[in-house]
Every structure is written in structure tokens, then in C-alpha cells.
Amino acid sequence: MKNILSIDVEDYFHPSEVQRSVDPSRWNTLPSRVCEATGEVLDLLAETGTHGTFFILGWVAERYPALVRRISAAGHEVACHSYAHALVYELTPDQFREDTQRGAAAIADACGVRPLAYRAPSYSITGRSLWALEVLVECGFRMDSSIYPVRHDRYGIPGHERLPHWIETPAGRILEVPPATARLSAERVVPVGGGGYLRLLPYRYTAAGIRRANEVDGAAACIYFHPWEIDEGQPRLAKSAVARLRTYLGLRGMKRKLGRMTREFEFSTMSDVCAAARELPVVRFGNPANPLH
């Protein structure tokens, strides 16, 4: 079974954990490492002929258009990861629309391809920002990968549909593709998706989660990571102990894990894997107290 490989293209100073220590006004003063790190990712995927969906930050696309063109020319899908990596639930609908349109425009200007898939920074489409899905449809997006159906201190909608599905908004349908999870019991769902979970935990945890999605759920697993997660030499800007653990632990072994994962499992782009999405279930907006059911 083909699984979905997704890469969130942002620099080492963009993650939410780092932004607590580094104000965005400083971004232009910091040495960028995103082109080199993303180049290593592209080389790694080329070794196994693997294609993926690259959710690109508009801020990066605006400054490094050649990087976006390289991603697209290599046969990968280009998608939008916002413009400025702001958490959706901290924006107003108008601010979100402006940020999203600016990010998509920067990507399209760089490579001539308008992104049709979106992923919110830090999976920040939660119960209090579901209005963002309607805005995405209005902006022309057909796919979203922003709802993590787990409990976390910064993101997640516990109990939400775990597998790819359509969401019916007042503006129309959008295909929601959650990052991979595993259901251990009726009440317990654990994250598998990649990123910090792949970096911090033993490789066999993610491998078992992918196999469980394929064999038990009969579905593709959506795995994600960031280019900065293979960059051991990045400056350590996060300050708190928790932020440093979440951001920097496991950097050394991440590239090896990714290489093993792309050899052991088959991956492709989100659009390719979800080509038969018409057969997927539909989730609709409900009342304000229970927006999705």
C-alpha cells in the first residue's frame, strides 16, 4: 500500500517551540539553513525514487524561489504551510485569509504551480478554529492536513475522524488528511505521524504504526517531518527544557530513520494516494457547541 510522505519546509527558527524565544522580527537577521537541509531531503528521497508533498512556508518561497522550483522539478507536490507560521487559532478569519493567500501566491510565483493542499503550522486547526476550513475552500484549496485527532497541549481534536475524509463546509467540500494515528482501544488514540514522534521514539514505533494503518485500518498512513530535523548543526535557539527536548532531541539519528523508512515502505504524494477520495466518508459542520460530528 502507498502511504503519504509530507515534508513541512520551514527554517530552524520557524517552529512554534522556537518562536517563544525568537521573535519573527529577527528572522531576517538569522543565517538561513533551509536550502541546504531541504536539499539533503531531496537527495535522500531521490535515492529510493520516493515522491512526497512539500508543505512550503510562504516566507521561505518568497526568499528562496529556486528551492521551490527544485522541489517541483523533482516531481514532488508543492503545497502551502501558511506564510508566516502563525498559529491559526491566534488569528482572526481575515488575518488567516490574508496569510494563506500570501503564502499560496509566493509558492505559485516561485514555481508556476498554485498549491491545492494546505497544512496549518503546528496543526493549529482545532475545535476553536474550524472556521478556517471554510476559508480554505473559499481560497481554492481542495485538501487540508491540519487536524490531528489526538490530545496535545498545543493542537489536536480528540475523537475526530482518524482516516482521510471529506469535510462539508458552508463553502463546499475539502478533503481532510490527518497525520497517522493508531487506535489502541475505544478511548485511546496515539500519534504516529512522524516529526517529533519519529525523531524522539525508536524507529520500530513509527514502523509499527504504519503497518497497523495499512493492515488494520486498511488505509494509507500520512507521515510528516521537517528538513530542520536532519540538521544537527543548527543553532539551538529554543530556551525552555521542554522546548529544547521537543526540538533537538534525536536530530542525529533522524536521517538514518528516514532512509530506512523510505526503503521499507512505499510512499507517494497526497494527491496521488488520495486520488480515489470520492469514496471516503463525509463529515459535516454541526451546531456551534459540536461543530463537527
Side-chain angles (χ1 to χ4, degrees), residues 9-11 13-20 22-28 55-63 80-88 90-91 95-107 118-122 124:
V9 181
E10 58 193 48
D11 224 319
F13 44 77
H14 288 132
S16 299
E17 295 287 355
V18 179
Q19 285 190 44
R20 297 176 180 179
V22 180
D23 189 89
S25 63
R26 289 182 53 200
W27 288 354
N28 283 323
F55 289 91
I56 304 167
L57 206 65
W59 190 95
V60 170
E62 203 169 69
R63 286 158 179 79
C80 183
H81 192 40
S82 83
Y83 177 82
H85 210 278
L87 299 176
V88 175
E90 294 182 350
L91 301 176
Q95 289 171 332
F96 174 70
R97 185 188 303 274
E98 180 181 0
D99 177 271
T100 301
Q101 291 176 331
R102 185 178 180 185
I107 295 165
Y118 178 88
R119 173 173 288 156
S122 297
S124 53

Side-chain angles (χ1 to χ4, degrees), residues 7-269:
I7 301 92
D8 294 353
V9 181
E10 58 193 48
D11 224 319
Y12 65 94
F13 44 77
H14 288 132
S16 299
E17 295 287 355
V18 179
Q19 285 190 44
R20 297 176 180 179
S21 306
V22 180
D23 189 89
S25 63
R26 289 182 53 200
W27 288 354
N28 283 323
T29 70
L30 298 171
S32 176
R33 300 174 66 91
V34 68
C35 292
E36 180 179 354
T38 305
E40 286 193 44
V41 171
L42 291 169
D43 292 343
L44 184 152
L45 298 184
E47 291 175 5
T48 54
T50 300
H51 291 100
T53 298
F54 282 67
F55 289 91
I56 304 167
L57 206 65
W59 190 95
V60 170
E62 203 169 69
R63 286 158 179 79
Y64 309 106
L67 176 63
V68 182
R69 289 193 290 272
R70 181 181 174 187
I71 292 169
S72 182
H76 302 288
E77 180 175 30
V78 294
C80 183
H81 192 40
S82 83
Y83 177 82
H85 210 278
L87 299 176
V88 175
Y89 49 70
E90 294 182 350
L91 301 176
T92 67
D94 286 344
Q95 289 171 332
F96 174 70
R97 185 188 303 274
E98 180 181 0
D99 177 271
T100 301
Q101 291 176 331
R102 185 178 180 185
I107 295 165
D109 288 346
C111 68
V113 178
R114 200 238 183 247
L116 298 177
Y118 178 88
R119 173 173 288 156
S122 297
Y123 295 101
S124 53
I125 294 184
T126 66
R128 56 181 168 140
S129 52
L130 285 169
W131 48 262
L133 297 173
E134 182 177 0
V135 175
L136 290 175
V137 175
E138 292 171 347
C139 290
F141 287 91
R142 299 176 185 173
M143 296 181 291
D144 177 65
S145 183
S146 303
I147 298 178
Y148 216 147
V150 297
R151 193 176 303 280
H152 189 276
D153 61 350
R154 192 171 57 243
Y155 56 75
I157 303 180
H160 187 78
E161 171 62 48
R162 297 174 42 244
L163 306 180
H165 57 282
W166 292 101
I167 293 181
E168 192 78 60
T169 81
R173 284 186 178 184
I174 190 165
L175 180 65
E176 183 65 34
V177 184
T181 57
R183 181 179 295 282
L184 302 185
S185 68
E187 295 79 24
R188 191 178 181 201
V189 172
V190 296
V192 172
Y197 304 107
L198 175 60
R199 182 164 40 83
L200 296 168
L201 300 174
Y203 171 78
R204 62 180 179 273
Y205 175 89
T206 300
I210 296 173
R211 293 190 183 96
R212 189 179 183 94
N214 296 168
E215 298 168 8
V216 177
D217 296 324
C222 179
I223 302 298
Y224 69 93
F225 67 95
H226 309 79
W228 57 260
E229 290 185 281
I230 66 170
D231 181 10
E232 291 184 63
Q234 66 183 275
R236 275 34 173 189
L237 301 179
K239 299 300 183 185
S240 76
V242 172
R244 291 179 69 84
L245 183 148
R246 285 179 171 178
T247 309
Y248 306 125
L249 187 64
L251 293 177
R252 178 175 299 178
M254 187 65 163
K255 190 172 182 179
R256 173 184 53 80
K257 289 179 179 179
L258 290 172
R260 181 176 176 183
M261 187 177 70
T262 54
R263 290 191 301 270
E264 293 184 0
F265 297 96
E266 187 173 359
F267 290 96
S268 189
T269 67

